[in-house]
Amino acid sequence: MADLSLDSKKLMRYNPSDVEFTENGKLGWKTKKGEILIPAEYDQIEKCANVLYVRKGNDFELYFSNGSAEAYSHFYENGSFFVENKKFGWRKGDEIIIPAIYDYIHSWGDCLFVVTLDGKHFYVNEKNERVLTNIRLFDGEDEEEIPFNFSVSDNSVLTISEFVGHQVKNDPNVVKMDTWVRLDRISHEEIMQMLINPDDEAPITEKELENYNSQFSYEFNAYLAKSKAKGGIKDCLEKMGKMCAYSNSWFYIIKVWKAKGEEPTAEELRYLRYFIEGKNRIGSIVFALGHDSSLKAGETKMLMLTHYNEECFPPSFQFDWYEYVNKHTLSEIKEQMKVQRKTVEEKILSDYIEEVWQNHFTGVISDMRYCANRNWDETAKVLDFFKQYDNSYQYCVKSTVDDLYNYCESNSVETDEFLLNKLRWLLENGSDVNVHSHNKTALDVISENTSAKSEFHYNAESIDRCLELLHQYGAKTIKEIQKEESANTDYRVELEILKPSQKKYRTFDVIQIK
């Protein structure tokens, strides 16, 4: 599904007063005055309750009365909607799953459908039976609104997906989505009460949840799973996978509960860390460990919240800043920073100046790459200046090695020399030589690109010099790191990795610029 660009059509919104017309055996749509809105080139047009359905072959377009539009150019794995006599249904191939009796329908999970009839929304299963009928409403909510949404822009109310593990009879809030899952609704305050407990062995603090609770965070999903008696954390993670918990998330907030008097193993916590790190994660895990006296011996309970956290600036503002830093001298950058901060204070987010301004530095050093307008010596001065305010450079070794391949198409010795100088600067200034993402270190990046028939036309001499630098500072592959870590059996060591000390950033003050 994708938003349509309506530039090619004059129809901006579905208007029930408009009419269908036929030309050369094909259907089109026009106003009562005869103005053509959709040319006569479609096989089917249906004027439904609040939507206009337009089909050409297997491609569909929907036009809504609010002016929005959607295009469908494929079938879902579990079928697709169809329209007959101005009503929507669902079918898979030639088999009709849901008869065409609704004003609107769309799939929600593999075997659950949201339907609209006479202005009201509800859910049906593959047998066209109503489910999720016992819905908890919150203040200000309308019974006619769709209550369960996986993607929401407000964290005041969350949908909890809870793994049930077996069919619960006579419970309308349990549906089968790959497996049996209970869907509940829970308030933001209730989530906070579950997460924050000062008596936990490894508590989450309000400070750690600032990003989650900020106006820059969005699309909140929550998942709750309980393991079998000996299943532990791995069992919970597998159950969450069945609830699509890792489909498209950047940040994870995770709390694990063990039975009273029990602790996780070091192996369990390592598995959690590497499992989440391999799921296209961009942000760090926020983690807590607590105990629950209601759990039986050997059982584990896990709560996971997933969310995104936007950059604090409009993209154009951020990109222009990166471009400026890459091309100008240090003295010019210092002057521009005064202008930037004034812009933030007066026009963008005056109430969040310190939080936002700090974010303005994050990524600048990792994005720093060769530019013809400035040599390495001048760049080193800029890097030395920025490291006073931003320690993100400590995690840039792997991305710099990536750049050696990404920019090698130009076959420029000068570019390679610049990147090697940057790599040396990073290592000399305390950057982690073994930082990894997607379960790969810098050594893994080199190994993969040099052992395979790589599409990159890299300079072998530059890669050799890169390897020499990495080895000089103790570089390892991810397998070597995992093998060394596996010798640890103390779960408290793993806890320290999952809950590192808070980063200490210097608060930037514009008067410090001289």
Side-chain angles (χ1 to χ4, degrees):
M1 185 180 72
D3 289 337
L4 287 178
S5 170
L6 300 181
D7 293 343
S8 60
K9 301 184 180 72
K10 294 181 180 179
L11 179 66
M12 295 305 294
R13 66 178 66 243
Y14 164 51
N15 188 335
S17 66
D18 298 332
V19 295
E20 175 187 309
F21 72 98
T22 304
E23 191 176 282
N24 298 323
K26 295 292 184 178
L27 301 175
W29 195 254
K30 63 182 179 182
T31 66
K32 276 191 172 182
K33 295 182 179 179
E35 181 184 11
I36 294 178
L37 301 171
I38 298 179
E41 53 187 41
Y42 292 85
D43 301 317
Q44 182 184 6
I45 294 181
E46 297 272 358
K47 185 166 64 172
C48 304
N50 292 304
V51 61
L52 183 70
Y53 170 87
V54 180
R55 178 179 65 83
K56 181 192 292 185
N58 290 328
D59 296 340
F60 319 111
E61 296 173 4
L62 301 179
Y63 296 90
F64 298 89
S65 56
N66 64 3
S68 63
E70 295 174 356
Y72 296 78
S73 59
H74 64 280
F75 289 96
Y76 293 100
E77 289 185 6
N78 64 327
S80 178
F81 58 74
F82 69 101
V83 175
E84 287 180 354
N85 300 320
K86 303 179 182 179
K87 294 290 185 178
F88 282 81
W90 195 271
R91 66 185 173 199
K92 189 171 184 179
D94 295 329
E95 180 187 3
I96 293 179
I97 307 297
I98 307 295
I101 58 176
Y102 297 109
D103 296 329
Y104 188 58
I105 186 172
H106 66 88
S107 176
W108 197 85
D110 290 339
C111 55
L112 192 65
F113 304 90
V114 184
V115 297
T116 303
L117 185 63
D118 298 329
K120 294 187 176 181
H121 309 287
F122 52 92
Y123 296 81
V124 297
N125 60 19
E126 289 178 307
K127 297 179 181 179
N128 199 29
E129 299 168 334
R130 292 196 184 189
V131 294
L132 305 182
T133 57
N134 184 21
I135 295 169
R136 177 187 177 193
L137 294 176
F138 291 87
D139 290 342
E141 291 189 321
D142 192 329
E143 289 186 4
E144 297 184 359
E145 294 177 355
I146 298 178
F148 291 104
N149 278 311
F150 274 140
S151 297
V152 294
S153 57
D154 180 4
N155 68 347
S156 60
V157 180
L158 293 173
T159 298
I160 285 283
S161 299
E162 181 178 356
F163 185 90
V164 178
H166 59 280
Q167 183 173 358
V168 179
K169 294 181 179 179
N170 302 319
D171 187 340
N173 290 322
V174 175
V175 295
K176 188 176 184 300
M177 295 163 53
D178 258 350
T179 185
W180 291 95
V181 173
R182 185 191 321 296
L183 296 169
D184 291 307
R185 309 189 70 221
I186 190 167
S187 69
H188 178 259
E189 289 74 19
E190 289 167 325
I191 286 284
M192 291 299 102
Q193 289 172 10
M194 294 176 71
L195 287 173
I196 300 176
N197 182 352
D199 296 328
D200 285 341
E201 179 172 355
I204 286 180
T205 64
E206 292 186 16
K207 178 73 175 175
E208 288 178 287
L209 297 178
E210 279 185 349
N211 279 338
Y212 165 70
N213 287 318
S214 79
Q215 68 179 44
F216 309 117
S217 195
Y218 65 100
E219 291 198 10
F220 307 92
N221 304 311
Y223 307 90
L224 187 65
K226 188 167 71 173
S227 76
K228 299 174 184 176
K230 299 296 181 182
I233 289 174
K234 185 175 182 180
D235 192 24
C236 290
L237 289 169
E238 289 176 352
K239 289 177 176 179
M240 288 179 175
K242 293 177 180 179
M243 295 184 278
C244 303
Y246 319 111
S247 59
N248 196 18
S249 297
W250 288 3
F251 294 90
Y252 294 86
I253 300 172
I254 298 173
K255 183 167 183 179
V256 169
W257 290 267
K258 287 289 185 178
K260 191 173 182 180
E262 295 185 358
E263 304 296 351
T265 66
E267 183 181 6
E268 275 189 300
L269 294 180
R270 269 195 303 274
Y271 183 89
L272 169 67
R273 176 161 54 92
Y274 281 105
F275 183 91
I276 297 297
E277 196 273 328
K279 297 294 180 183
N280 294 319
R281 180 175 56 85
I282 295 178
S284 299
I285 301 172
V286 177
F287 181 79
L289 172 64
H291 292 87
D292 185 342
S293 57
S294 69
L295 293 175
K296 298 177 182 177
E299 288 183 337
T300 300
K301 184 171 71 173
M302 180 186 294
L303 172 68
M304 176 185 291
L305 274 70
T306 63
H307 69 107
Y308 296 88
N309 201 62
E310 281 283 26
E311 289 284 351
C312 297
F313 296 103
S316 59
F317 186 83
Q318 190 82 328
F319 294 152
D320 289 347
W321 168 240
Y322 284 178
E323 188 74 10
Y324 194 94
V325 168
N326 272 292
K327 290 186 176 181
H328 292 75
T329 65
L330 178 56
S331 59
E332 291 172 325
I333 290 170
K334 288 180 178 179
E335 289 302 314
Q336 180 65 14
M337 286 169 73
K338 298 175 183 178
V339 177
Q340 297 283 81
R341 182 172 173 108
K342 186 176 181 182
T343 300
V344 174
E345 286 181 313
E346 296 180 357
K347 298 182 179 180
I348 300 180
L349 292 165
S350 57
D351 294 337
Y352 295 85
I353 179 61
E354 294 306 335
E355 174 186 352
V356 171
W357 187 248
Q358 182 56 58
N359 222 32
H360 203 29
F361 290 96
T362 304
V364 169
I365 293 179
S366 62
D367 190 64
M368 195 86 69
R369 58 176 62 99
Y370 175 75
C371 179
N373 292 352
R374 188 178 60 216
N375 60 28
W376 167 252
D377 290 339
E378 181 65 25
T379 300
K381 294 177 183 177
V382 175
L383 292 173
D384 287 336
F385 172 70
F386 274 111
K387 75 175 184 180
Q388 301 174 68
Y389 311 107
D390 177 25
N391 66 5
S392 67
Y393 72 89
Q394 295 177 9
Y395 309 98
C396 296
V397 167
K398 179 175 174 289
S399 63
T400 303
V401 174
D402 278 327
D403 285 346
L404 271 173
Y405 289 99
N406 294 334
Y407 294 96
C408 62
E409 294 278 341
S410 62
N411 199 25
S412 169
V413 174
E414 191 175 9
T415 301
D416 284 2
E417 194 67 32
F418 183 94
L419 290 170
L420 288 167
N421 278 326
K422 180 185 173 186
L423 179 60
R424 182 179 292 104
W425 182 91
L426 289 169
L427 294 169
E428 289 176 350
N429 283 274
S431 191
D432 183 358
V433 69
N434 290 317
V435 67
H436 50 87
S437 60
H438 303 110
N439 291 332
K440 295 178 185 177
T441 65
L443 275 189
D444 292 311
V445 169
I446 293 176
S447 176
E448 286 186 5
N449 284 301
T450 54
S451 61
K453 290 184 178 179
S454 175
E455 61 185 79
F456 300 117
H457 305 293
Y458 54 83
N459 186 320
E461 183 181 348
S462 297
I463 299 301
D464 287 342
R465 290 173 61 194
C466 175
L467 278 169
E468 185 180 348
L469 269 174
L470 293 175
H471 286 306
Q472 180 182 339
Y473 283 85
K476 299 171 185 175
T477 65
I478 194 71
K479 287 184 178 180
E480 289 172 334
I481 293 172
Q482 290 177 325
K483 184 177 180 179
E484 289 180 3
E485 290 182 344
S486 66
N488 169 55
T489 58
D490 187 349
Y491 78 93
R492 289 168 295 189
V493 174
E494 286 295 328
L495 268 184
E496 182 59 30
I497 298 174
L498 281 168
K499 291 189 70 68
S501 302
Q502 292 290 316
K503 296 178 183 178
K504 301 295 183 183
Y505 288 110
R506 288 183 57 178
T507 302
F508 184 84
D509 191 333
V510 70
I511 62 173
Q512 292 177 344
I513 303 175
K514 298 179 180 179

